[in-house]
Amino acid sequence: MRGFVHDQPAVRVVFGAGVFDRLPEEVERLGATRVLVIASPGRRSAADDLARRLGPAAAGVFAEAAVHVPIEVVRAACETARRLEADCCVTIGGGSTIGLGKAIALERALMIVAVPTTYSGSEMTPIHGVTAAGVKTTGRDPRVLPKVVMYDPTLTVSLPRGISGPSGMNAIAHSVEALYAPDANPIVSLCAAEGIRALARALPIVVEQPANLEARADALYGAWLSGAALGATSMGLHHKLCHALGGAFHLPHADVHTVILPHATSFNGSAAPGAMRVVADSLGASDAAQGLYVLAVRIGAPTSLKEIGMPADGLDRAARLATEQPYANPRPIEYAGVRRLLDDAYRGIRPTVTSS
Ligand code: NAD
């Protein structure tokens, strides 16, 4: 075995149906007394309910989280946190809400308790990002990692089929890229493989039986492990491409991941045969890229960039954006190959077989 470095983040995880009831205990355990509850506008009632449960420890609710964390929202949230003298924020929601919590934590050194209600995995990463003047700037900082993450599948029952499936594919993408990342290690690879296995098993059931708590719990478990894998490794072509597409063409985040993943996997396949074998085995498929495509079809998730609003005349620009900066990737990044990948993804064709 080659030598490696593994940084184990100190995040307390409280997992299981009904654990949300224990939120006040967890907040008290941290010594927090002025909690700011963060949510998106659509989850306002969940945030108000959470604040009621906290009783006197709740200082206020800020339910204006928005996708890609706009700087104006961060400023307003930080001002609210300052005015309320908050010492902790509890985020209830998906990656957008957790992203806002991270931005506040960075600015005001607040503790975070995350209650994730999608499968983005963001609660397990030190990756933060803010969008200013249309440009999203991301970074890594251990200070944005939640102190506590509470995974309660009962809170995800209301997550619609059209968000559940792509959100789970977003988490699978974290694991796929972690398996071939230059800074992967055996612990991360275990998390990634198990994350893919859990999500591949859970997602078809989640979309068919949204109230199935076993499957919802399995999906959260997979999201946790996949988020941890992403947090510990560098991102390759898949994430860079999704970042470029989402930023320049305002495509829905999880949908872009779902569409690109089989094609990015096919692109990298022959350059990372070991990782591809693990992905295929974890999916229970004979081929990694095709297995991912089949899973997306099975859960009724989008398979083409065209259907999620990508303009055909933007493909050249997207390929340029994804190839202008150098970054680590199993197969060297070059414009023509990435442009072909995008063309396949635009049309939503079944990817070619990747493994030998
Ligand atoms: P999201 O947070 O934008 O949520 C999508 C929608 O689902 C929202 O309308 C939200 O209100 C709704 N929703 C959430 N939970 C619900 C529930 N239980 N029931 C009903 N509706 C619910 O989407 P997302 O995919 O979770 O997150 C995407 C964002 O997260 C992007 O900005 C992405 O860049 C970021 N992200 C960051 C990381 C990281 O490590 N920093 C990782 C993955 C994603």
Side-chain angles (χ1 to χ4, degrees), residues 46-116:
D48 288 339
D49 170 54
L50 195 159
R52 265 192 304 278
R53 285 163 180 260
L54 286 175
V61 172
F62 186 90
E64 290 169 42
V67 72
H68 298 313
V69 197
I71 184 75
E72 300 75 16
V73 176
V74 175
R75 287 199 187 111
C78 285
E79 173 51 25
T80 305
R82 188 199 59 75
R83 184 169 46 76
L84 297 174
E85 298 176 5
D87 55 7
C88 173
C89 42
V90 175
T91 65
I92 180 159
S96 301
T97 303
I98 297 157
L100 177 57
K102 288 176 171 180
I104 303 169
L106 204 55
E107 194 71 27
R108 299 203 50 82
L110 295 191
M111 298 179 281
I112 302 177
V113 176
V115 184

Side-chain angles (χ1 to χ4, degrees), residues 201-273:
R201 170 170 80 211
L203 293 179
I205 305 173
V206 159
V207 297
E208 276 158 33
Q209 304 165 32
N212 185 318
L213 283 183
E214 278 287 308
R216 289 286 188 182
D218 230 9
L220 278 178
Y221 168 65
W224 160 15
L225 297 177
S226 297
L230 172 73
T233 50
S234 325
M235 296 177 239
L237 173 68
H238 170 80
H239 279 81
K240 302 285 180 187
L241 202 44
C242 291
H243 194 115
L245 285 163
F249 303 98
H250 308 291
L251 305 179
H253 179 82
D255 287 354
V256 177
H257 274 271
T258 308
V259 172
I260 293 294
L261 185 60
H263 300 284
T265 304
S266 172
F267 179 94
N268 278 325
S270 56

Side-chain angles (χ1 to χ4, degrees), residues 40 68 94-96 117-118 120 122 125 127 136 155 158-159 163 253:
S40 60
H68 298 313
S96 301
T117 63
T118 71
S120 80
S122 174
T125 84
I127 304 164
K136 186 166 181 179
L155 302 175
S158 56
L159 194 65
I163 300 181
H253 179 82

